[in-house]
Amino acid sequence: MKSPVRICMIGAGRVGKNHSNFISRHVPAGKIVTLVDPVTDILHATGEEFGIDNRFASLEEALDKSDFDAVVITTPTFTHKQLVLSAAQYKKHVFLEKPMALNLEECDQMIEATRSQGVLLQLGFMRRFDPEFSSAAKRIQDGEIGKPMMIKSLTHGPGLPPAWARDLNTSNGMLAEVNSHDWDTLRWLMDANYERVYTEVANFKGAERNVDTPNFYDNVLVNVKFESGALGMISGICPCDYGYDSRVEVYGDKGIMVIGELKGQAVTICTNRDHGLVTPIYRTWPERFSWGYIYELEHFVSSIQNDTKPIVGGEDGRWAVAGVLAGTRSFLEQRPVSLSEVLS
Amino acid sequence: MKSPVRICMIGAGRVGKNHSNFISRHVPAGKIVTLVDPVTDILHATGEEFGIDNRFASLEEALDKSDFDAVVITTPTFTHKQLVLSAAQYKKHVFLEKPMALNLEECDQMIEATRSQGVLLQLGFMRRFDPEFSSAAKRIQDGEIGKPMMIKSLTHGPGLPPAWARDLNTSNGMLAEVNSHDWDTLRWLMDANYERVYTEVANFKGAERNVDTPNFYDNVLVNVKFESGALGMISGICPCDYGYDSRVEVYGDKGIMVIGELKGQAVTICTNRDHGLVTPIYRTWPERFSWGYIYELEHFVSSIQNDTKPIVGGEDGRWAVAGVLAGTRSFLEQRPVSLSEVLS
Amino acid sequence: MKSPVRICMIGAGRVGKNHSNFISRHVPAGKIVTLVDPVTDILHATGEEFGIDNRFASLEEALDKSDFDAVVITTPTFTHKQLVLSAAQYKKHVFLEKPMALNLEECDQMIEATRSQGVLLQLGFMRRFDPEFSSAAKRIQDGEIGKPMMIKSLTHGPGLPPAWARDLNTSNGMLAEVNSHDWDTLRWLMDANYERVYTEVANFKGAERNVDTPNFYDNVLVNVKFESGALGMISGICPCDYGYDSRVEVYGDKGIMVIGELKGQAVTICTNRDHGLVTPIYRTWPERFSWGYIYELEHFVSSIQNDTKPIVGGEDGRWAVAGVLAGTRSFLEQRPVSLSEVLS
Amino acid sequence: MKSPVRICMIGAGRVGKNHSNFISRHVPAGKIVTLVDPVTDILHATGEEFGIDNRFASLEEALDKSDFDAVVITTPTFTHKQLVLSAAQYKKHVFLEKPMALNLEECDQMIEATRSQGVLLQLGFMRRFDPEFSSAAKRIQDGEIGKPMMIKSLTHGPGLPPAWARDLNTSNGMLAEVNSHDWDTLRWLMDANYERVYTEVANFKGAERNVDTPNFYDNVLVNVKFESGALGMISGICPCDYGYDSRVEVYGDKGIMVIGELKGQAVTICTNRDHGLVTPIYRTWPERFSWGYIYELEHFVSSIQNDTKPIVGGEDGRWAVAGVLAGTRSFLEQRPVSLSEVLS
C-alpha cells in the first residue's frame, strides 16, 4: 500500500471543514497534515476538530514550516490565483474549489503555472464523481438517449451567500458561486461548448432581507445555445430556503434522462391524511453529494499516487468561468452574448 | 344508441351516494330512476341531490310502484340475501356490493336465484375495473412476471366502521367489510384458490376509542397458502386514520410487480427543509378508485344492454366469503384453517 | 335535471374524436347532435363511431339544416376566426381549441363577435381543469409557496405535427400548437403577464426526418420575464418520441411546488436486475389529461345551462397568442422581444 | 488521533471481501493486518487485493503467529461458536456476522465467553447503521407514528444460497441466512419481543433449478404476534432474481412509516413510450447498504478505541436465532409456535 498523500488544507471554514471531514473519515489514502486560515479562531477550532497540529495563518508560512505533497484550496474565489501560483511554485499538487477564478486571465495563469511546474490541477466539480451523475454521463456517452438535443440543470441552495460572494467586484455572483456546477455539467453531459447565452435575473429574497448589493439577484435563468446546435437551460435560486436542490434533465433524439431527485432519505410518513405524505428533502450539499466529495478527494490523492491526470481540470474550470462571464454580461446588457465576445 | 338502463338504487347512504354520483355524472348509459332507503331523511336528501323522484322505504314498495331494469344494492351485508332474492324474483338484474353475504348458504341462494331467473349478478369488486389493477392482472396473465409465487395485498381504511359492521353477529368484521377486496384480488391475480389460512389480529385503535364489541380487532394479518403452492398475505387496518391505502405486490418466478401507491395527486411542495417534501395521500376510496367505480358501473349497464355476463360475479363473491370465514375461524381458534373446513 | 346541451362538433379528426369520446361517454349533460368535417371519410367514420347522425361538410350547412346550442371547434388554427364568427352570428356558444388564432386581430374579432352576440367563448386550455393543475393553482393563490418567483413549464409531445402546423404561414409552429398550454399555464399560475421573452430553437428530429419546412424547429426554450419581476421558462420538444410529457415547477419565496410527473400508471415491474424497474409513462394527451377534458367539457355545458361565464376565455387565448408572437419574433431576430412590440 | 484497531479478517470469501473493501477504503480507524481462510486460493487472492500480508489457514495459526486487537468473522454459521470462543480466549474483540448461531446454546456460550473475557461482541446487523433505518428507528422511538401496531419487513435476495446455507443440518435455511435481518428489524423497530409465529413456505425457484435439499424453500411468509399485542410479517424470497430488495413498513396508532425503496440510483430514462420509464434497482446488498457497512465497522473499531459497548450485540443475535427456530418449527409442524417453546 502506498503511503498517504500529505495534504495542506487551505481554508478552515465551511468548505474546508467539509473536505477535512470526508478526507479524515473516509479517504485513508490522504492525510491532512497542515491547516491554513487567516482567522485564528476558525483555524484552531477546525484544527482541533480534525486533529491537525500544523496550523498557519498563510500558505507562505505553511510552505516554509511544514511538509506536504498537495494543497486543497477552499478559500474565496478572489484568493485562488495567488494561492495556486504559490503552491505550484513549491511543486505542490493543487485541488481547487469552484469557481476557478474571477476572469479568464487568472485561469490561464493558473493553468500555465501548474503545467510548467508539473503539478496536478484538479477542479472541485464533485458532480463528476457523484455516482448518479457519473453513471448518467457514461450512459449518455454510450448513446442510450441518442444525440443530446437539450439539457436543463438547476442548482438551488438554501442560504444567502456571504457578502463577498454576491458582490460583482469580488465575485461573479450566484452564476459563479452556485451555478458553476451547472456550467460544468452542461459542457460535460452535452459534450459541447456554449456558443451563445441569454440571461434573465430577479431579486425577491434579497429584497426581503434588505440586501443592497448593486446588481444583486437571487433568481437566474440562463438560456444556452451550444456549438452543436443543442439548447440548454441553467436555473439558480439562492437563497431558496426549501432545501439543496440539484437536478438535471437531458433530452436526446432517442429519449429523456432524469438525473437526481428532490427526495433525500427514503423514509416516508403520513400521520394526517389532510396533510399528506412527508419525505425528507436534501437539506445541504454535503448530504446530497457525500459520495461525490469522497470520490473526488480519493481521485485527487490517487492521481498523485499514480501520477495520472485528474479527469477534471483547469480547462473545465476555465470554460465555466467563460460561461459565467457571458451570462453576467447578458443580463447587464439585456441581450444575448456570444462566447466569442468573452473568449477573445 | 341504446336507451339507458333504468336503475333502482337500494341504499341512500355513503355507498349509495357514491354510486349515484358516478352513474349520474359519468355513466350516461345508466339512469337512476328509483331510490330505496328505510331512513326517510337520508332517502329524501340523496334523492334531491341526484334528482331521483321515485323514492321508497323498501324494495317491495319500489317493485310495486315503479319501473326499472336493475338494482344496485349498497345496504349492509345482512340485508343482501333477501334483497337479491326479491329483485331476482321480479327479473331485475343485480349489482351487489361486497361482502356478498354472511355465509356460504346465502351466497348459494343468491347465485341460484339469479341464475334460475336469468338475471345478471355482478359483484362490487371495483378493483377489477381500476385501470392499474386491471392492467396489472392482464400483464400477469400474459406472463410478464412468470408464475406467481407470492402476493401481498393490503387495504387500510381511514375511519371506524359502523357498529353493525364490527359485530360478528351482523357482519364478519373487518376481514369482510374492508378486506373483501383483498380476498378477491388474491384469487384474481394469482389465478388460484386459497387452500389454508392463518390469521392474527390486534386491537389498538378500538381500545383507544373504547369500542367494546366482543372479538373486535382493527389490525389483521392473514397468511394464505394457495392450492397452487403459492403464498399470500392480506393486511387490514381500520381505522388507520392516515389515509385510504390499497396496494399490492406480486412476485413471480420471473420478477416483481408493484400495483398502486400511497401518493394521491402528483403535486409536491416543500416550504420547510426540516419538514421535507409533502405530497397528498389518497384520502378516501372514491378518490382512489374513481375510474374503478365508473368502469364497473359502465360494465354492469353495458352487460345488461348487450346481454353478456359480467366479468365478476357470484362465484367470486362466494370465494371471498369463504376466505373470510376461514380467516375468522383461524384467529378465534388460534390455528391454521383449511378452506375444506368451511367449504364442506 | 336540465336537458342536455346540444352540441355541433366541428372537426372529426384526432381532437374531434377525443372530445366526442369524452362527451358521449362521460358528460351526460352534453349531447353531440351534429358533426362537421369537410373530409367525407373521416366525417362518416367518426359519425358512426359516436352515433352522430347529422353530418355536414361545413358549419354553414350544419347551421342551415340542424339544430344545436353550441359548437366545439377542433379544426386547424387558420380556420378558427371564420368558424367562431359564423357560430356567434347564429347565437351558438363556442368552445374553441387552442391556439386561439394566428394573430391578435383575429383574437379581437372573435372576442368581439361572441361578446356582442351574447354567447359564451371558452378556450380549450384543459389544464385549468386537470385536478392536479387546478389544485396547484388554488394552493398557489392561497399563498402556500408565497409570492411566485420562477416557473418552468414543459410540454413535449410524441409525434411530428402535421404539415400545416409547422409552417409559419399557416400556423405559429410548435410554440403555438404544442406550447400554447404552457403560455396559458405561466400567466395563470404566476398571476402575471409576460413582459419580455427570449427564445432559442433547434432542429434535430425534423432534420432526421428530412422535414424541409422553412424555420422548422423541434426543440424550443423560451426565457420569460414577467411584469411582476418573476422569471419563467417554457420548453417544447415535438416530436420527442419518448411520451407525452407535461410538467411544471413553481418556486415561490416560501417554497417549491412540483406539478405532474412522468409516470403514468402506478404499476411497476422488474424482471431483470440489470435493466431495472419499469413503469409506464404517459403516452398521449388524452391519457394524461382525461379528467381535464371531461371537466372542461362539463364546465362548458354547465356554463351554458347556468348562464355563467367560463373560467377561461378569449382574453386568456389572446395572451397565449401574444406570447407566441413575441417568442417567434425573438428567435427569428435573435434578440429579446418585449410584449409591447406585439401588443401595440 | 488514536492508532487504528488491528483486525484479523476471518473468511476471505464474499462477505470477507465486502468488509475488507469497506474497512480498507473508507474506515481509516481500522486496519486489516491478518487474513484467515482455509481455502488457499481465496486466501491469497483476497490478501493480494487488499494488501494483507499475514495470511493463515486457521484462526489458531493466526493467533499464534500474528498480532491483532479484534476479529471480524464472516464464515458460515456452523463455524461461529468455535471461532468466537477461541477469539475471546485470546482477548480479541469480536465482530460476528449473522446469523449468530445454529441454536440458542451456541449463542449462550458465545455471550458468556466474550462477557467473561471482557471483550466486545458486535453482531453484523448493518441495518441498525443504515442512515434510513436508523433515522426511522429514532423517529419511531420519538413517537412520530405513535404506538407501533404492525410491521412488515422483507428481504428478497437475488441468488441461490450455497448448499450449506440451505441444508437444515448445517444452517437454519433462508429464514436464518437471509431473513435474520428482518428478525432483528422487527424487535428493534417495534421495541417488543416475539410471542408467537406462524410460517408458510413454498418452493418454486429451487424446483426449477432441481435443488433437492430436503425441506428446501425459496419463498417464506412469517406471521408474528408480539408480546406487546402488535402484529408482524416477514417475507423472504431467495433467489428472487429481480434485485436486492429490503423494505419495511411500520404502522403506528398515529400513522404509517415506509422505510427504503426498490429504486437504486435516481437516474431515470425513457427511450420507448410503449416500454416506459426505466430506473435502476438495488442489485446487491453492498450497493444497498454501503453506508450501513461503513458505519457498523466504524462503530466496532470506535467502540474498541473508546471502550464502549456496541449498540447491537449477542442478545440481539440470540433473539433472531430464537425467532428462526420458532419459525422453522412452525412450517415443519404446520402450526403456530410460541417463543416459549424454543426459549425454554
Side-chain angles (χ1 to χ4, degrees):
Chain A
M1 299 249 283
K2 287 160 176 156
S3 53
V5 170
R6 294 164 307 165
I7 293 168
C8 170
M9 178 67 59
I10 307 179
R14 207 169 50 145
V15 180
K17 286 169 73 167
N18 179 66
H19 289 10
S20 296
N21 176 54
F22 282 119
I23 292 172
S24 63
R25 194 158 169 194
H26 298 303
V27 186
K31 185 170 171 53
I32 306 172
V33 296
T34 301
L35 184 66
V36 168
D37 201 291
V39 184
T40 309
D41 285 359
I42 291 174
L43 175 68
H44 291 300
T46 300
E48 286 301 310
E49 184 173 349
F50 297 100
I52 312 167
D53 294 331
N54 301 313
R55 303 171 196 166
F56 305 100
S58 71
L59 173 58
E60 284 64 36
E61 207 183 335
L63 286 164
D64 191 42
K65 300 188 181 160
S66 79
D67 200 14
F68 46 86
D69 308 307
V71 298
V72 170
I73 300 175
T74 68
T75 47
T77 316
F78 56 82
T79 68
H80 288 183
K81 188 199 70 178
Q82 196 48 57
L83 290 168
V84 171
L85 265 50
S86 298
Q89 185 185 345
Y90 285 80
K91 306 277 189 196
K92 309 303 183 193
H93 300 289
V94 177
F95 180 99
L96 177 62
E97 264 308 312
K98 39 55 55 182
M100 188 175 182
L102 292 172
N103 55 54
L104 300 181
E105 294 69 36
E106 292 185 345
C107 295
D108 291 337
Q109 288 179 273
M110 292 187 274
I111 290 170
E112 174 54 21
T114 50
R115 191 200 57 73
S116 66
Q117 296 293 331
V119 294
L120 302 182
L121 173 59
Q122 181 175 330
L123 263 286
F125 291 130
M126 78 288 181
R127 284 176 206 190
R128 299 242 187 180
F129 299 89
D130 173 69
E132 288 168 358
F133 275 79
S134 62
S135 137
K138 182 173 184 321
R139 294 171 66 180
I140 293 170
Q141 285 154 16
D142 289 350
E144 277 197 40
I145 58 166
K147 186 188 304 185
M149 306 188 301
M150 189 191 284
I151 186 168
K152 300 170 189 166
S153 180
L154 69 82
T155 308
H156 301 168
L160 187 67
W164 69 263
R166 55 188 197 248
D167 184 341
L168 290 188
N169 293 312
T170 47
S171 157
N172 288 312
M174 182 167 69
L175 263 187
E177 300 300 332
V178 176
N179 294 113
S180 273
H181 294 297
D182 303 281
W183 289 104
D184 185 57
T185 298
L186 257 67
R187 269 184 73 246
W188 175 39
L189 297 185
M190 299 299 276
D191 194 22
N193 289 327
Y194 338 118
E195 178 175 307
R196 181 171 63 220
V197 304
Y198 179 80
T199 306
E200 291 278 6
V201 299
N203 178 359
F204 283 90
K205 311 275 256 186
E208 280 169 16
R209 286 164 166 84
N210 300 314
V211 172
D212 59 0
T213 319
N215 290 311
F216 177 77
Y217 58 93
D218 46 24
N219 281 257
V220 62
L221 272 180
V222 188
N223 211 333
V224 176
K225 179 81 174 183
F226 289 89
E227 289 176 357
S228 65
L231 307 182
M233 191 271 296
I234 291 174
S235 108
I237 306 181
C238 193
C240 75
D241 287 324
Y242 69 80
Y244 179 77
D245 190 1
S246 162
R247 291 172 289 141
V248 172
E249 298 196 3
V250 189
Y251 310 89
D253 62 2
K254 291 199 165 56
I256 183 177
M257 175 180 282
V258 180
I259 311 169
E261 60 189 337
L262 276 166
K263 181 173 63 66
Q265 281 192 334
V267 176
T268 294
I269 69 163
C270 182
T271 57
N272 178 334
R273 66 186 178 126
D274 294 321
H275 183 65
L277 293 163
V278 182
T279 311
I281 195 169
Y282 284 117
R283 296 175 68 265
T284 62
W285 35 270
E287 234 178 65
R288 167 63 185 89
F289 284 112
S290 52
W291 281 114
Y293 290 112
I294 292 171
Y295 288 149
E296 74 171 357
L297 294 162
E298 256 191 357
H299 181 73
F300 179 56
V301 297
S302 113
S303 295
I304 295 171
Q305 288 179 328
N306 300 313
D307 198 19
T308 53
K309 198 174 146 73
I311 60 167
V312 57
E315 206 55 33
D316 303 300
R318 185 182 190 276
W319 265 103
V321 173
V324 167
L325 294 172
T328 302
R329 190 180 297 182
S330 172
F331 80 80
L332 290 174
E333 304 184 3
Q334 294 196 12
R335 64 174 182 88
V337 172
S338 286
L339 264 288
S340 59
E341 300 181 49
V342 303
L343 288 170
S344 61
Chain B
M1 300 250 282
K2 286 159 177 157
S3 52
V5 170
R6 295 164 306 165
I7 292 168
C8 171
M9 178 66 61
I10 307 179
R14 208 168 50 146
V15 180
K17 287 170 72 167
N18 179 67
H19 289 11
S20 296
N21 176 54
F22 282 120
I23 292 172
S24 63
R25 195 158 167 193
H26 298 304
V27 185
K31 185 170 172 50
I32 306 172
V33 296
T34 301
L35 183 65
V36 169
D37 201 292
V39 184
T40 309
D41 287 359
I42 291 174
L43 175 68
H44 291 302
T46 300
E48 285 302 310
E49 184 174 349
F50 297 101
I52 312 167
D53 293 332
N54 301 313
R55 303 171 195 165
F56 305 101
S58 71
L59 174 57
E60 283 65 36
E61 208 184 332
L63 287 164
D64 191 42
K65 300 187 181 158
S66 78
D67 199 12
F68 47 85
D69 307 308
V71 296
V72 171
I73 300 175
T74 68
T75 47
T77 316
F78 55 83
T79 68
H80 287 183
K81 187 198 72 177
Q82 196 49 57
L83 291 168
V84 171
L85 265 50
S86 297
Q89 185 185 346
Y90 284 80
K91 305 277 187 194
K92 309 303 182 193
H93 299 290
V94 177
F95 179 98
L96 176 62
E97 265 308 312
K98 40 55 54 181
M100 189 176 182
L102 292 173
N103 55 55
L104 300 181
E105 293 69 37
E106 292 185 345
C107 295
D108 290 336
Q109 286 178 276
M110 292 187 275
I111 291 170
E112 175 54 22
T114 50
R115 191 200 58 74
S116 66
Q117 296 292 331
V119 294
L120 302 181
L121 173 59
Q122 180 175 333
L123 261 287
F125 291 130
M126 78 288 183
R127 286 178 203 188
R128 299 242 187 180
F129 299 89
D130 173 68
E132 289 169 357
F133 275 79
S134 63
S135 138
K138 181 173 184 323
R139 294 171 66 181
I140 293 171
Q141 285 154 17
D142 290 350
E144 277 197 43
I145 58 165
K147 186 189 303 185
M149 305 189 301
M150 190 191 283
I151 186 169
K152 299 171 190 166
S153 181
L154 69 81
T155 308
H156 301 168
L160 187 67
W164 70 263
R166 56 188 197 247
D167 185 340
L168 290 188
N169 293 312
T170 48
S171 155
N172 287 312
M174 181 167 68
L175 263 187
E177 299 301 330
V178 175
N179 294 113
S180 273
H181 295 296
D182 303 279
W183 288 104
D184 184 57
T185 298
L186 257 67
R187 269 184 73 244
W188 175 40
L189 297 185
M190 299 299 276
D191 194 21
N193 289 326
Y194 339 119
E195 178 175 306
R196 181 170 63 219
V197 304
Y198 179 81
T199 306
E200 290 278 6
V201 300
N203 178 358
F204 284 90
K205 311 275 255 188
E208 281 170 16
R209 285 163 165 86
N210 300 315
V211 172
D212 59 1
T213 320
N215 290 311
F216 177 77
Y217 58 93
D218 45 25
N219 280 257
V220 61
L221 272 181
V222 188
N223 210 332
V224 176
K225 179 80 174 184
F226 289 88
E227 289 177 358
S228 64
L231 307 182
M233 191 272 295
I234 291 174
S235 107
I237 306 181
C238 193
C240 75
D241 288 324
Y242 70 79
Y244 179 76
D245 190 1
S246 163
R247 291 171 289 142
V248 172
E249 298 196 5
V250 189
Y251 309 89
D253 63 1
K254 290 199 166 57
I256 183 177
M257 176 180 280
V258 180
I259 311 168
E261 60 188 337
L262 274 165
K263 181 173 64 65
Q265 281 192 334
V267 177
T268 294
I269 69 163
C270 182
T271 57
N272 179 335
R273 66 186 178 127
D274 294 322
H275 183 64
L277 294 162
V278 182
T279 311
I281 195 169
Y282 285 116
R283 296 176 68 266
T284 62
W285 36 271
E287 237 177 63
R288 168 63 185 90
F289 284 112
S290 51
W291 281 114
Y293 290 112
I294 292 171
Y295 288 150
E296 73 169 0
L297 293 161
E298 256 191 355
H299 181 72
F300 179 56
V301 296
S302 113
S303 295
I304 295 170
Q305 288 178 328
N306 300 313
D307 198 18
T308 52
K309 198 174 146 74
I311 60 166
V312 56
E315 204 56 31
D316 302 300
R318 186 182 189 276
W319 266 103
V321 173
V324 167
L325 294 172
T328 302
R329 192 180 296 181
S330 172
F331 81 79
L332 290 174
E333 303 184 3
Q334 294 196 12
R335 63 176 182 87
V337 171
S338 286
L339 264 287
S340 60
E341 300 181 49
V342 303
L343 289 171
S344 61
Chain C
M1 298 250 282
K2 287 159 175 158
S3 52
V5 170
R6 295 164 307 164
I7 293 168
C8 170
M9 178 66 60
I10 307 179
R14 206 170 48 144
V15 179
K17 286 170 72 168
N18 178 66
H19 290 10
S20 297
N21 177 53
F22 282 119
I23 292 172
S24 63
R25 192 156 170 196
H26 297 303
V27 185
K31 185 169 170 51
I32 306 172
V33 297
T34 300
L35 183 66
V36 169
D37 201 290
V39 184
T40 309
D41 286 358
I42 291 174
L43 175 68
H44 291 301
T46 301
E48 285 302 310
E49 183 174 350
F50 297 101
I52 311 167
D53 294 332
N54 301 313
R55 303 171 196 165
F56 305 100
S58 71
L59 173 57
E60 284 63 35
E61 206 184 335
L63 286 164
D64 192 42
K65 300 187 179 158
S66 78
D67 199 12
F68 47 84
D69 308 306
V71 297
V72 170
I73 301 174
T74 68
T75 47
T77 316
F78 55 83
T79 68
H80 286 184
K81 189 199 71 176
Q82 196 48 56
L83 290 168
V84 171
L85 264 51
S86 298
Q89 185 185 346
Y90 284 81
K91 306 278 187 196
K92 309 303 183 193
H93 300 288
V94 177
F95 179 99
L96 178 61
E97 263 309 311
K98 41 54 54 180
M100 188 175 182
L102 291 173
N103 55 54
L104 300 180
E105 294 68 37
E106 292 185 345
C107 295
D108 291 336
Q109 287 178 275
M110 292 187 273
I111 291 169
E112 174 53 22
T114 50
R115 191 200 57 74
S116 66
Q117 296 292 330
V119 294
L120 302 182
L121 173 59
Q122 180 175 332
L123 262 287
F125 290 131
M126 77 288 182
R127 286 178 204 188
R128 300 242 186 179
F129 299 89
D130 173 68
E132 289 169 357
F133 276 78
S134 63
S135 138
K138 181 173 184 322
R139 294 171 66 182
I140 293 171
Q141 285 154 16
D142 290 349
E144 277 197 43
I145 58 165
K147 186 188 304 184
M149 305 188 302
M150 189 191 284
I151 186 169
K152 297 171 191 165
S153 181
L154 69 82
T155 308
H156 301 168
L160 188 68
W164 69 262
R166 55 188 198 249
D167 184 341
L168 289 188
N169 293 313
T170 48
S171 156
N172 287 312
M174 181 168 67
L175 263 187
E177 300 300 331
V178 175
N179 295 113
S180 273
H181 295 296
D182 304 279
W183 288 103
D184 184 57
T185 298
L186 257 66
R187 268 184 74 244
W188 174 41
L189 297 185
M190 300 300 276
D191 194 23
N193 289 327
Y194 340 117
E195 180 175 305
R196 182 170 64 219
V197 304
Y198 179 81
T199 305
E200 291 278 5
V201 300
N203 178 359
F204 283 91
K205 310 274 254 187
E208 280 169 17
R209 286 164 166 85
N210 299 315
V211 172
D212 58 0
T213 321
N215 290 310
F216 177 76
Y217 58 93
D218 45 24
N219 280 256
V220 62
L221 271 180
V222 188
N223 210 333
V224 176
K225 179 81 174 182
F226 289 89
E227 290 176 357
S228 65
L231 307 181
M233 190 271 296
I234 290 174
S235 108
I237 306 181
C238 193
C240 75
D241 287 323
Y242 69 81
Y244 179 76
D245 189 1
S246 162
R247 291 172 289 142
V248 172
E249 298 196 5
V250 189
Y251 310 89
D253 62 2
K254 291 199 165 56
I256 183 177
M257 176 180 279
V258 180
I259 310 168
E261 59 189 338
L262 275 165
K263 180 174 64 66
Q265 282 192 333
V267 176
T268 294
I269 69 162
C270 182
T271 57
N272 178 335
R273 66 187 179 126
D274 294 321
H275 182 65
L277 294 162
V278 181
T279 311
I281 197 169
Y282 284 117
R283 296 176 68 265
T284 62
W285 36 270
E287 234 178 65
R288 168 63 186 89
F289 285 112
S290 52
W291 281 114
Y293 290 111
I294 292 171
Y295 287 150
E296 74 170 359
L297 293 162
E298 257 191 356
H299 181 72
F300 179 57
V301 296
S302 114
S303 296
I304 294 171
Q305 288 178 327
N306 300 312
D307 198 18
T308 52
K309 198 174 148 70
I311 61 167
V312 57
E315 205 56 31
D316 302 300
R318 185 182 189 275
W319 266 103
V321 173
V324 167
L325 294 172
T328 302
R329 192 181 297 181
S330 172
F331 81 80
L332 290 174
E333 304 183 3
Q334 293 196 12
R335 64 174 181 89
V337 171
S338 285
L339 264 287
S340 59
E341 301 181 49
V342 303
L343 289 171
S344 60
Chain D
M1 299 252 283
K2 287 159 176 157
S3 52
V5 170
R6 295 165 305 165
I7 292 169
C8 170
M9 178 66 60
I10 307 179
R14 206 170 49 146
V15 180
K17 286 170 72 167
N18 178 66
H19 290 11
S20 296
N21 176 54
F22 282 119
I23 292 172
S24 63
R25 194 158 168 194
H26 298 302
V27 186
K31 185 169 171 52
I32 306 173
V33 296
T34 300
L35 183 66
V36 169
D37 201 291
V39 184
T40 309
D41 286 0
I42 291 175
L43 175 68
H44 291 300
T46 301
E48 284 303 310
E49 183 173 349
F50 297 101
I52 312 167
D53 294 332
N54 301 314
R55 303 171 195 165
F56 305 100
S58 71
L59 173 57
E60 282 65 36
E61 207 183 334
L63 286 164
D64 192 41
K65 299 188 181 159
S66 78
D67 200 13
F68 47 85
D69 307 308
V71 297
V72 170
I73 300 174
T74 68
T75 47
T77 316
F78 55 82
T79 67
H80 287 183
K81 188 198 71 178
Q82 196 48 56
L83 291 168
V84 172
L85 264 51
S86 298
Q89 184 185 348
Y90 285 80
K91 305 279 188 195
K92 308 304 182 192
H93 299 289
V94 177
F95 180 99
L96 178 61
E97 264 308 311
K98 42 53 57 179
M100 188 175 181
L102 292 172
N103 55 54
L104 300 181
E105 293 69 38
E106 291 184 345
C107 294
D108 291 335
Q109 286 179 276
M110 291 187 275
I111 290 169
E112 174 53 21
T114 50
R115 191 200 57 74
S116 66
Q117 295 293 331
V119 294
L120 302 181
L121 173 59
Q122 180 175 331
L123 261 287
F125 291 130
M126 77 289 181
R127 286 177 205 189
R128 299 244 186 177
F129 299 90
D130 173 69
E132 289 169 358
F133 275 79
S134 63
S135 138
K138 182 173 183 322
R139 293 172 66 181
I140 293 171
Q141 284 154 18
D142 289 350
E144 277 197 42
I145 58 165
K147 185 188 305 184
M149 304 189 302
M150 189 191 283
I151 186 168
K152 299 170 190 166
S153 181
L154 69 82
T155 307
H156 301 169
L160 187 68
W164 69 263
R166 55 188 197 248
D167 184 340
L168 290 188
N169 293 312
T170 47
S171 156
N172 288 311
M174 181 167 68
L175 263 187
E177 299 302 330
V178 176
N179 294 112
S180 272
H181 295 297
D182 303 280
W183 289 104
D184 185 57
T185 297
L186 258 66
R187 269 184 73 244
W188 175 40
L189 297 185
M190 299 299 275
D191 194 21
N193 289 326
Y194 339 117
E195 179 176 305
R196 183 169 62 218
V197 304
Y198 179 81
T199 306
E200 291 278 6
V201 301
N203 178 358
F204 283 90
K205 310 273 256 187
E208 281 169 16
R209 286 164 167 85
N210 299 315
V211 172
D212 58 1
T213 320
N215 291 310
F216 176 77
Y217 58 93
D218 45 25
N219 281 257
V220 62
L221 272 179
V222 189
N223 211 333
V224 176
K225 178 81 173 183
F226 289 89
E227 289 177 357
S228 65
L231 307 182
M233 190 272 294
I234 291 174
S235 106
I237 307 181
C238 194
C240 75
D241 287 323
Y242 69 80
Y244 179 77
D245 190 1
S246 162
R247 291 171 289 142
V248 172
E249 298 197 3
V250 189
Y251 309 88
D253 61 3
K254 291 200 166 55
I256 183 177
M257 176 179 280
V258 180
I259 310 169
E261 59 189 339
L262 274 165
K263 180 173 64 65
Q265 281 192 333
V267 176
T268 294
I269 70 163
C270 182
T271 57
N272 178 334
R273 66 186 180 127
D274 294 321
H275 182 65
L277 294 162
V278 182
T279 312
I281 197 169
Y282 285 117
R283 295 176 67 267
T284 62
W285 37 269
E287 236 179 62
R288 167 63 186 89
F289 284 112
S290 52
W291 282 114
Y293 290 111
I294 292 171
Y295 288 150
E296 73 171 357
L297 293 162
E298 258 192 354
H299 181 72
F300 178 56
V301 296
S302 114
S303 296
I304 295 171
Q305 288 178 328
N306 301 312
D307 198 19
T308 53
K309 199 175 146 71
I311 60 167
V312 57
E315 205 55 32
D316 303 301
R318 186 182 189 275
W319 265 103
V321 173
V324 167
L325 294 173
T328 303
R329 191 180 297 181
S330 171
F331 82 78
L332 291 174
E333 303 183 2
Q334 293 196 12
R335 64 175 182 88
V337 172
S338 286
L339 264 287
S340 59
E341 300 181 48
V342 302
L343 289 171
S344 60

